[in-house]
Amino acid sequence: MSRPTIKTDLIEAGETGYLKLEQVIQTLPDETQAFNFEVTEKMTKAHWQRDQNLRDVLIHLYEWHQLLLNWVAANQNGKATPFLPAPYNWKNYAQMNQAFWEKHQTTSLEDAKNMLNTSHSEVMALANTFSNAELFTKQYFSWTGTSSLGAYFVSATSSHYDWAMKKLKKQIKANR
């Protein structure tokens, strides 16, 4: 599916992506197993080294949902807030992702699943409160910068779910 540009496609992509993610999780040979796929020199993104198991991936998704939910709420309440919390920006957000990882090293897999399930529902419900124009007109809201609000929803849902599935499929393939 191409990147959503209308509300109905955003909702469908988010819900479908989440269901596909759940299906991929069900095919993992052992949900508690540490990832054992080979990390190659082509895998230069920090997450290949950072995320060591399913819990780490799910918590990453959960925390990005929280970023979106908190950002929208703050700005809707009149508090001008950037998407990434200080001291992070788009040049150093890998450090923020590392902080999320560190924060949740004692979170159980079951809690991670429940947290993600709840936050996914909250994000999708929030997306439903906006009109198509509010979601996909660039700069409709001053706080979205040069982008559209919908682009942030896509990034926090379907695009991130695709990222997670790619990683989990590597683990499945490594255990065949």
Short mmCIF file of all heavy atoms in Angstrom, two decimals, residues 108-161:
data_model
loop_
_atom_site.label_atom_id
_atom_site.label_comp_id
_atom_site.label_asym_id
_atom_site.label_seq_id
_atom_site.Cartn_x
_atom_site.Cartn_y
_atom_site.Cartn_z
N SER A 108 8.08 -5.91 31.31
CA SER A 108 7.87 -7.29 30.85
C SER A 108 7.33 -7.29 29.43
O SER A 108 6.75 -6.29 28.97
CB SER A 108 6.89 -8.01 31.77
OG SER A 108 5.57 -7.49 31.59
N LEU A 109 7.50 -8.40 28.75
CA LEU A 109 6.95 -8.55 27.41
C LEU A 109 5.43 -8.40 27.44
O LEU A 109 4.85 -7.74 26.58
CB LEU A 109 7.35 -9.90 26.80
CG LEU A 109 6.74 -10.23 25.44
CD1 LEU A 109 7.11 -9.18 24.39
CD2 LEU A 109 7.19 -11.62 24.99
N GLU A 110 4.79 -9.00 28.43
CA GLU A 110 3.33 -8.90 28.53
C GLU A 110 2.89 -7.45 28.72
O GLU A 110 1.94 -7.00 28.09
CB GLU A 110 2.83 -9.77 29.69
CG GLU A 110 1.35 -10.02 29.66
CD GLU A 110 0.87 -10.74 28.40
OE1 GLU A 110 1.59 -11.60 27.87
OE2 GLU A 110 -0.24 -10.41 27.93
N ASP A 111 3.60 -6.71 29.57
CA ASP A 111 3.27 -5.29 29.76
C ASP A 111 3.50 -4.51 28.46
O ASP A 111 2.70 -3.64 28.11
CB ASP A 111 4.10 -4.68 30.89
CG ASP A 111 3.61 -5.09 32.26
OD1 ASP A 111 2.48 -5.63 32.38
OD2 ASP A 111 4.36 -4.86 33.24
N ALA A 112 4.57 -4.81 27.76
CA ALA A 112 4.87 -4.13 26.50
C ALA A 112 3.74 -4.36 25.49
O ALA A 112 3.30 -3.43 24.81
CB ALA A 112 6.20 -4.60 25.94
N LYS A 113 3.26 -5.60 25.42
CA LYS A 113 2.16 -5.91 24.51
C LYS A 113 0.90 -5.12 24.89
O LYS A 113 0.24 -4.54 24.02
CB LYS A 113 1.83 -7.41 24.54
CG LYS A 113 2.84 -8.27 23.84
CD LYS A 113 2.42 -9.73 23.97
CE LYS A 113 3.31 -10.65 23.21
NZ LYS A 113 2.86 -12.05 23.31
N ASN A 114 0.58 -5.09 26.16
CA ASN A 114 -0.60 -4.37 26.62
C ASN A 114 -0.47 -2.87 26.40
O ASN A 114 -1.44 -2.21 25.98
CB ASN A 114 -0.88 -4.67 28.09
CG ASN A 114 -1.33 -6.10 28.31
OD1 ASN A 114 -1.90 -6.74 27.43
ND2 ASN A 114 -1.05 -6.63 29.50
N MET A 115 0.69 -2.33 26.68
CA MET A 115 0.92 -0.90 26.49
C MET A 115 0.78 -0.53 25.02
O MET A 115 0.15 0.49 24.69
CB MET A 115 2.32 -0.53 27.02
CG MET A 115 2.44 -0.64 28.53
SD MET A 115 4.14 -0.74 29.13
CE MET A 115 4.77 0.87 28.73
N LEU A 116 1.36 -1.34 24.16
CA LEU A 116 1.27 -1.05 22.72
C LEU A 116 -0.17 -1.17 22.23
O LEU A 116 -0.64 -0.32 21.47
CB LEU A 116 2.18 -1.97 21.91
CG LEU A 116 2.12 -1.76 20.40
CD1 LEU A 116 2.53 -0.34 20.02
CD2 LEU A 116 2.97 -2.79 19.69
N ASN A 117 -0.87 -2.18 22.66
CA ASN A 117 -2.25 -2.37 22.24
C ASN A 117 -3.10 -1.15 22.64
O ASN A 117 -3.88 -0.63 21.84
CB ASN A 117 -2.83 -3.65 22.83
CG ASN A 117 -4.16 -4.01 22.21
OD1 ASN A 117 -4.29 -4.07 21.00
ND2 ASN A 117 -5.15 -4.22 23.05
N THR A 118 -2.93 -0.69 23.86
CA THR A 118 -3.67 0.47 24.35
C THR A 118 -3.28 1.73 23.57
O THR A 118 -4.16 2.49 23.13
CB THR A 118 -3.42 0.67 25.86
OG1 THR A 118 -3.88 -0.49 26.55
CG2 THR A 118 -4.14 1.91 26.38
N SER A 119 -2.00 1.94 23.39
CA SER A 119 -1.57 3.17 22.71
C SER A 119 -1.97 3.16 21.24
O SER A 119 -2.33 4.20 20.68
CB SER A 119 -0.06 3.40 22.86
OG SER A 119 0.71 2.41 22.21
N HIS A 120 -1.94 1.98 20.61
CA HIS A 120 -2.41 1.91 19.22
C HIS A 120 -3.87 2.34 19.14
O HIS A 120 -4.25 3.15 18.28
CB HIS A 120 -2.25 0.49 18.65
CG HIS A 120 -2.98 0.29 17.36
ND1 HIS A 120 -2.50 0.78 16.17
CD2 HIS A 120 -4.17 -0.30 17.09
CE1 HIS A 120 -3.38 0.49 15.21
NE2 HIS A 120 -4.39 -0.16 15.75
N SER A 121 -4.70 1.83 20.03
CA SER A 121 -6.12 2.20 20.05
C SER A 121 -6.29 3.69 20.28
O SER A 121 -7.14 4.34 19.64
CB SER A 121 -6.86 1.41 21.12
OG SER A 121 -6.86 0.05 20.82
N GLU A 122 -5.50 4.26 21.18
CA GLU A 122 -5.59 5.70 21.46
C GLU A 122 -5.19 6.53 20.25
O GLU A 122 -5.84 7.54 19.94
CB GLU A 122 -4.70 6.05 22.66
CG GLU A 122 -5.20 5.49 23.97
CD GLU A 122 -4.21 5.63 25.12
OE1 GLU A 122 -3.02 5.92 24.89
OE2 GLU A 122 -4.64 5.42 26.26
N VAL A 123 -4.13 6.13 19.57
CA VAL A 123 -3.67 6.86 18.38
C VAL A 123 -4.72 6.80 17.28
O VAL A 123 -5.04 7.81 16.64
CB VAL A 123 -2.31 6.33 17.89
CG1 VAL A 123 -1.98 6.84 16.49
CG2 VAL A 123 -1.21 6.72 18.87
N MET A 124 -5.28 5.63 17.06
CA MET A 124 -6.28 5.50 16.00
C MET A 124 -7.55 6.28 16.35
O MET A 124 -8.15 6.91 15.48
CB MET A 124 -6.59 4.02 15.74
CG MET A 124 -5.37 3.21 15.27
SD MET A 124 -4.41 3.94 13.93
CE MET A 124 -5.59 3.94 12.61
N ALA A 125 -7.94 6.26 17.61
CA ALA A 125 -9.11 7.05 18.03
C ALA A 125 -8.85 8.54 17.85
O ALA A 125 -9.73 9.28 17.39
CB ALA A 125 -9.46 6.73 19.49
N LEU A 126 -7.65 8.97 18.17
CA LEU A 126 -7.30 10.38 17.99
C LEU A 126 -7.32 10.75 16.51
O LEU A 126 -7.86 11.80 16.14
CB LEU A 126 -5.92 10.67 18.60
CG LEU A 126 -5.43 12.11 18.49
CD1 LEU A 126 -6.39 13.09 19.18
CD2 LEU A 126 -4.02 12.24 19.07
N ALA A 127 -6.77 9.92 15.67
CA ALA A 127 -6.78 10.19 14.23
C ALA A 127 -8.21 10.37 13.73
O ALA A 127 -8.48 11.24 12.89
CB ALA A 127 -6.08 9.08 13.46
N ASN A 128 -9.11 9.58 14.26
CA ASN A 128 -10.50 9.65 13.84
C ASN A 128 -11.18 10.96 14.22
O ASN A 128 -12.22 11.29 13.65
CB ASN A 128 -11.30 8.47 14.40
CG ASN A 128 -11.40 7.35 13.41
OD1 ASN A 128 -11.73 7.56 12.25
ND2 ASN A 128 -11.10 6.14 13.87
N THR A 129 -10.62 11.70 15.16
CA THR A 129 -11.24 12.97 15.58
C THR A 129 -10.95 14.11 14.61
O THR A 129 -11.58 15.17 14.71
CB THR A 129 -10.78 13.40 16.99
OG1 THR A 129 -9.38 13.76 16.96
CG2 THR A 129 -11.03 12.31 18.02
N PHE A 130 -10.02 13.90 13.71
CA PHE A 130 -9.63 14.96 12.77
C PHE A 130 -10.30 14.75 11.41
O PHE A 130 -10.54 13.61 11.00
CB PHE A 130 -8.11 15.00 12.58
CG PHE A 130 -7.37 15.44 13.81
CD1 PHE A 130 -6.79 14.51 14.66
CD2 PHE A 130 -7.27 16.79 14.12
CE1 PHE A 130 -6.11 14.90 15.79
CE2 PHE A 130 -6.60 17.20 15.26
CZ PHE A 130 -6.02 16.26 16.10
N SER A 131 -10.55 15.84 10.74
CA SER A 131 -11.10 15.77 9.38
C SER A 131 -9.98 15.44 8.40
O SER A 131 -8.79 15.53 8.74
CB SER A 131 -11.74 17.11 8.99
OG SER A 131 -10.72 18.10 8.83
N ASN A 132 -10.36 15.09 7.20
CA ASN A 132 -9.38 14.83 6.16
C ASN A 132 -8.50 16.08 5.93
O ASN A 132 -7.28 15.97 5.81
CB ASN A 132 -10.08 14.42 4.86
CG ASN A 132 -9.11 13.86 3.85
OD1 ASN A 132 -8.52 12.82 4.08
ND2 ASN A 132 -8.93 14.55 2.74
N ALA A 133 -9.13 17.24 5.89
CA ALA A 133 -8.37 18.49 5.67
C ALA A 133 -7.40 18.73 6.82
O ALA A 133 -6.24 19.11 6.60
CB ALA A 133 -9.32 19.67 5.52
N GLU A 134 -7.84 18.51 8.06
CA GLU A 134 -6.96 18.72 9.21
C GLU A 134 -5.78 17.77 9.18
O GLU A 134 -4.67 18.13 9.57
CB GLU A 134 -7.74 18.53 10.51
CG GLU A 134 -8.73 19.63 10.79
CD GLU A 134 -9.66 19.31 11.95
OE1 GLU A 134 -10.04 18.13 12.12
OE2 GLU A 134 -10.02 20.26 12.67
N LEU A 135 -6.00 16.57 8.69
CA LEU A 135 -4.92 15.58 8.66
C LEU A 135 -3.96 15.78 7.49
O LEU A 135 -2.76 15.56 7.64
CB LEU A 135 -5.51 14.16 8.58
CG LEU A 135 -6.11 13.62 9.87
CD1 LEU A 135 -6.91 12.35 9.59
CD2 LEU A 135 -5.03 13.35 10.91
N PHE A 136 -4.48 16.16 6.34
CA PHE A 136 -3.63 16.10 5.15
C PHE A 136 -3.39 17.43 4.43
O PHE A 136 -2.77 17.43 3.36
CB PHE A 136 -4.14 15.03 4.19
CG PHE A 136 -3.86 13.66 4.74
CD1 PHE A 136 -4.86 12.91 5.35
CD2 PHE A 136 -2.58 13.13 4.71
CE1 PHE A 136 -4.59 11.67 5.90
CE2 PHE A 136 -2.31 11.89 5.26
CZ PHE A 136 -3.31 11.16 5.85
N THR A 137 -3.83 18.53 5.00
CA THR A 137 -3.45 19.82 4.45
C THR A 137 -2.17 20.26 5.13
O THR A 137 -2.13 20.41 6.36
CB THR A 137 -4.56 20.88 4.69
OG1 THR A 137 -5.78 20.41 4.11
CG2 THR A 137 -4.17 22.22 4.10
N LYS A 138 -1.11 20.42 4.36
CA LYS A 138 0.16 20.84 4.94
C LYS A 138 -0.02 22.20 5.60
O LYS A 138 -0.69 23.08 5.07
CB LYS A 138 1.25 20.91 3.87
CG LYS A 138 1.70 19.55 3.40
CD LYS A 138 2.86 19.65 2.43
CE LYS A 138 3.28 18.24 2.02
NZ LYS A 138 4.50 18.25 1.23
N GLN A 139 0.57 22.32 6.78
CA GLN A 139 0.54 23.55 7.57
C GLN A 139 -0.87 23.94 8.01
O GLN A 139 -1.10 25.10 8.36
CB GLN A 139 1.22 24.70 6.83
CG GLN A 139 2.67 24.41 6.50
CD GLN A 139 3.32 25.52 5.71
OE1 GLN A 139 2.72 26.10 4.80
NE2 GLN A 139 4.55 25.83 6.05
N TYR A 140 -1.81 23.00 8.01
CA TYR A 140 -3.16 23.30 8.51
C TYR A 140 -3.05 23.80 9.94
O TYR A 140 -3.72 24.75 10.33
CB TYR A 140 -4.05 22.06 8.43
CG TYR A 140 -5.49 22.34 8.76
CD1 TYR A 140 -6.40 22.61 7.73
CD2 TYR A 140 -5.95 22.35 10.07
CE1 TYR A 140 -7.73 22.88 8.02
CE2 TYR A 140 -7.28 22.61 10.36
CZ TYR A 140 -8.16 22.88 9.34
OH TYR A 140 -9.48 23.15 9.62
N PHE A 141 -2.20 23.13 10.73
CA PHE A 141 -1.91 23.55 12.09
C PHE A 141 -0.50 24.16 12.08
O PHE A 141 0.42 23.58 11.50
CB PHE A 141 -1.94 22.37 13.06
CG PHE A 141 -3.27 21.70 13.15
CD1 PHE A 141 -3.49 20.47 12.52
CD2 PHE A 141 -4.31 22.27 13.87
CE1 PHE A 141 -4.72 19.84 12.61
CE2 PHE A 141 -5.55 21.64 13.95
CZ PHE A 141 -5.75 20.43 13.32
N SER A 142 -0.35 25.28 12.74
CA SER A 142 0.97 25.94 12.76
C SER A 142 2.03 25.04 13.38
O SER A 142 3.20 25.09 12.99
CB SER A 142 0.88 27.26 13.53
OG SER A 142 0.48 27.02 14.87
N TRP A 143 1.63 24.19 14.30
CA TRP A 143 2.58 23.37 15.03
C TRP A 143 3.07 22.14 14.27
O TRP A 143 3.93 21.41 14.76
CB TRP A 143 2.03 22.97 16.40
CG TRP A 143 0.58 22.61 16.45
CD1 TRP A 143 -0.48 23.48 16.61
CD2 TRP A 143 0.00 21.32 16.38
NE1 TRP A 143 -1.66 22.79 16.63
CE2 TRP A 143 -1.41 21.46 16.50
CE3 TRP A 143 0.53 20.03 16.24
CZ2 TRP A 143 -2.28 20.38 16.48
CZ3 TRP A 143 -0.34 18.96 16.21
CH2 TRP A 143 -1.73 19.14 16.33
N THR A 144 2.57 21.91 13.06
CA THR A 144 3.09 20.79 12.26
C THR A 144 4.21 21.23 11.33
O THR A 144 4.72 20.42 10.55
CB THR A 144 1.97 20.12 11.43
OG1 THR A 144 1.45 21.06 10.51
CG2 THR A 144 0.89 19.55 12.32
N GLY A 145 4.58 22.48 11.40
CA GLY A 145 5.66 22.98 10.54
C GLY A 145 5.24 22.91 9.08
O GLY A 145 4.11 23.24 8.74
N THR A 146 6.12 22.46 8.24
CA THR A 146 5.84 22.41 6.79
C THR A 146 5.14 21.12 6.39
O THR A 146 4.89 20.89 5.22
CB THR A 146 7.14 22.55 5.98
OG1 THR A 146 8.02 21.48 6.34
CG2 THR A 146 7.82 23.89 6.25
N SER A 147 4.85 20.27 7.36
CA SER A 147 4.24 18.97 7.08
C SER A 147 2.76 18.98 7.39
O SER A 147 2.20 20.00 7.79
CB SER A 147 4.96 17.91 7.92
OG SER A 147 4.59 16.63 7.50
N SER A 148 2.14 17.83 7.22
CA SER A 148 0.74 17.67 7.61
C SER A 148 0.68 16.84 8.88
O SER A 148 1.58 16.04 9.17
CB SER A 148 -0.05 16.97 6.50
OG SER A 148 0.35 15.62 6.38
N LEU A 149 -0.38 16.99 9.63
CA LEU A 149 -0.58 16.19 10.83
C LEU A 149 -0.66 14.71 10.47
O LEU A 149 -0.11 13.85 11.16
CB LEU A 149 -1.85 16.64 11.55
CG LEU A 149 -2.21 15.90 12.83
CD1 LEU A 149 -1.09 15.98 13.86
CD2 LEU A 149 -3.52 16.46 13.40
N GLY A 150 -1.31 14.41 9.36
CA GLY A 150 -1.44 13.02 8.92
C GLY A 150 -0.10 12.34 8.71
O GLY A 150 0.04 11.15 8.98
N ALA A 151 0.88 13.09 8.24
CA ALA A 151 2.21 12.50 8.03
C ALA A 151 2.80 11.99 9.35
O ALA A 151 3.46 10.94 9.37
CB ALA A 151 3.15 13.53 7.40
N TYR A 152 2.53 12.70 10.42
CA TYR A 152 3.01 12.24 11.73
C TYR A 152 2.27 10.97 12.17
O TYR A 152 2.88 10.06 12.73
CB TYR A 152 2.84 13.34 12.79
CG TYR A 152 3.83 14.46 12.65
CD1 TYR A 152 3.56 15.57 11.86
CD2 TYR A 152 5.05 14.42 13.32
CE1 TYR A 152 4.46 16.61 11.73
CE2 TYR A 152 5.97 15.45 13.21
CZ TYR A 152 5.67 16.54 12.41
OH TYR A 152 6.58 17.56 12.30
N PHE A 153 0.96 10.92 11.90
CA PHE A 153 0.21 9.71 12.23
C PHE A 153 0.71 8.51 11.43
O PHE A 153 0.86 7.42 11.97
CB PHE A 153 -1.29 9.93 11.98
CG PHE A 153 -2.02 10.56 13.13
CD1 PHE A 153 -2.20 11.94 13.17
CD2 PHE A 153 -2.52 9.80 14.17
CE1 PHE A 153 -2.88 12.54 14.22
CE2 PHE A 153 -3.20 10.38 15.23
CZ PHE A 153 -3.37 11.76 15.26
N VAL A 154 0.95 8.72 10.15
CA VAL A 154 1.46 7.63 9.31
C VAL A 154 2.81 7.14 9.84
O VAL A 154 3.05 5.93 9.97
CB VAL A 154 1.57 8.07 7.83
CG1 VAL A 154 2.31 7.03 7.00
CG2 VAL A 154 0.18 8.35 7.25
N SER A 155 3.67 8.08 10.17
CA SER A 155 5.00 7.71 10.67
C SER A 155 4.93 6.93 11.97
O SER A 155 5.70 5.99 12.18
CB SER A 155 5.86 8.96 10.86
OG SER A 155 6.14 9.54 9.61
N ALA A 156 4.00 7.30 12.85
CA ALA A 156 3.89 6.64 14.15
C ALA A 156 3.11 5.33 14.09
O ALA A 156 3.16 4.55 15.04
CB ALA A 156 3.24 7.58 15.16
N THR A 157 2.42 5.08 12.98
CA THR A 157 1.63 3.86 12.89
C THR A 157 2.13 2.97 11.75
O THR A 157 3.09 2.23 11.93
CB THR A 157 0.11 4.17 12.76
OG1 THR A 157 -0.12 4.96 11.58
CG2 THR A 157 -0.41 4.88 13.98
N SER A 158 1.51 3.06 10.61
CA SER A 158 1.79 2.08 9.54
C SER A 158 3.26 2.03 9.13
O SER A 158 3.80 0.94 8.94
CB SER A 158 0.89 2.34 8.32
OG SER A 158 1.04 3.65 7.84
N SER A 159 3.91 3.16 9.02
CA SER A 159 5.33 3.15 8.64
C SER A 159 6.19 2.48 9.71
O SER A 159 7.10 1.71 9.41
CB SER A 159 5.84 4.56 8.37
OG SER A 159 5.28 5.06 7.19
N HIS A 160 5.88 2.79 10.96
CA HIS A 160 6.64 2.18 12.06
C HIS A 160 6.31 0.70 12.20
O HIS A 160 7.17 -0.11 12.55
CB HIS A 160 6.34 2.91 13.38
CG HIS A 160 7.53 3.59 13.96
ND1 HIS A 160 7.61 4.93 14.16
CD2 HIS A 160 8.71 3.08 14.40
CE1 HIS A 160 8.77 5.24 14.71
NE2 HIS A 160 9.46 4.13 14.86
N TYR A 161 5.07 0.31 11.91
CA TYR A 161 4.71 -1.10 11.96
C TYR A 161 5.47 -1.87 10.88
O TYR A 161 5.93 -3.00 11.12
CB TYR A 161 3.21 -1.30 11.80
CG TYR A 161 2.36 -0.61 12.87
CD1 TYR A 161 1.03 -0.30 12.62
CD2 TYR A 161 2.89 -0.26 14.11
CE1 TYR A 161 0.25 0.33 13.58
CE2 TYR A 161 2.12 0.37 15.07
CZ TYR A 161 0.80 0.66 14.80
OH TYR A 161 0.03 1.29 15.76
#
